[in-house]
Amino acid sequence: AETAQSMQALARALTTSADPAQVADAVFGALRDELQVDAAIFATTNDRGVLCVHRRFGYASDESERALLEAMDPDGELREVLQRRVAFFAESVHDQRRDWPTLAAASSRDRLSSLAVVPLVVSEHAVGAVVVQWVKSRAISEADKSFLFTITGAAAQAVERARLTLTEFGNLERSQHLHHLSSALAAAT
């Protein structure tokens, strides 16, 4: 019952989010409550496909965040997360060292162990990613993965709604500005 209530609260928060940072805040609350995540990054892609961090918590330095985002760059270790829209899971630093040495180096500096990188996907298009990490090694269960996929799916939809809202506000402001300029020009002539 408690999980259902928290999921309903999350759904309300995501539905009313006006920008990606608000979406990140709602996602982080759920990640802390449900999965006891120790660190996380919420990043979305800009119009050039570059990941931009909206929120982060739990990292000792910006160096770790940079290393994670570099790994998700178009030429980075985790490019498949965004390009192929597939999640990456590592239950220990050993798993990371074997498959993703740059990530392992970043994680070991912040004493973090288990890692999940899940893309934010809308209509077969990745609009960002959520990175979550735990200090202790964690067996990432199917229930954990299901929760991560559910929350990132809802977050991706919320990000797109927020982007559309921001675009509409920008268009409205430009339209009003042009109307004022047109009125001023008409009055001047």
Side-chain angles (χ1 to χ4, degrees):
E2 189 176 311
T3 299
Q5 285 180 330
S6 70
M7 290 305 288
Q8 287 174 346
L10 173 64
R12 280 191 301 277
L14 291 176
T15 302
T16 59
S17 295
D19 68 44
Q22 289 176 331
V23 174
D25 292 340
V27 168
F28 285 173
L31 290 172
R32 285 186 198 118
D33 292 347
E34 297 300 320
L35 299 180
Q36 292 75 48
V37 169
D38 296 307
I41 296 172
F42 188 94
T44 60
T45 54
N46 63 16
D47 55 351
R48 294 182 317 256
V50 176
L51 282 169
C52 303
V53 173
H54 290 284
R55 292 278 195 266
R56 72 181 201 116
F57 77 88
Y59 292 95
S61 70
D62 287 340
E63 184 177 315
S64 298
E65 176 185 315
R66 265 193 312 280
L68 286 165
L69 293 177
E70 285 170 10
M72 287 189 288
D73 273 347
D75 298 325
E77 288 180 330
L78 286 176
R79 65 189 168 278
E80 293 177 27
V81 168
L82 294 176
Q83 290 175 348
R84 293 187 182 169
R85 299 168 309 281
V86 295
F88 168 76
F89 300 98
E91 295 181 349
S92 68
V93 173
H94 172 73
D95 292 348
Q96 291 178 50
R97 280 189 193 118
R98 182 186 64 231
D99 300 325
W100 314 100
T102 302
L103 289 178
S107 295
S108 64
R109 282 191 290 270
D110 278 334
R111 304 172 331 277
L112 296 168
S113 182
S114 297
L115 166 75
V117 182
V118 185
L120 299 170
V121 179
V122 176
S123 301
E124 298 299 317
H125 177 69
V127 297
V130 173
V131 177
V132 295
Q133 291 189 271
W134 294 268
V135 171
K136 295 181 181 175
S137 292
R138 178 185 178 106
I140 303 171
S141 69
E142 288 305 313
D144 293 343
K145 291 177 183 179
S146 178
F147 180 79
L148 285 167
F149 291 135
T150 299
I151 197 170
T152 54
Q157 294 291 330
V159 164
E160 281 301 290
R161 278 193 306 277
R163 284 180 173 175
L164 289 172
T165 300
L166 293 173
T167 299
E168 286 298 316
F169 277 133
N171 290 342
L172 180 61
E173 286 178 350
R174 281 191 289 281
S175 176
Q176 288 174 343
H177 180 69
L178 289 173
H179 178 70
H180 292 311
L181 286 175
S182 175
S183 295
L185 184 59
T189 55

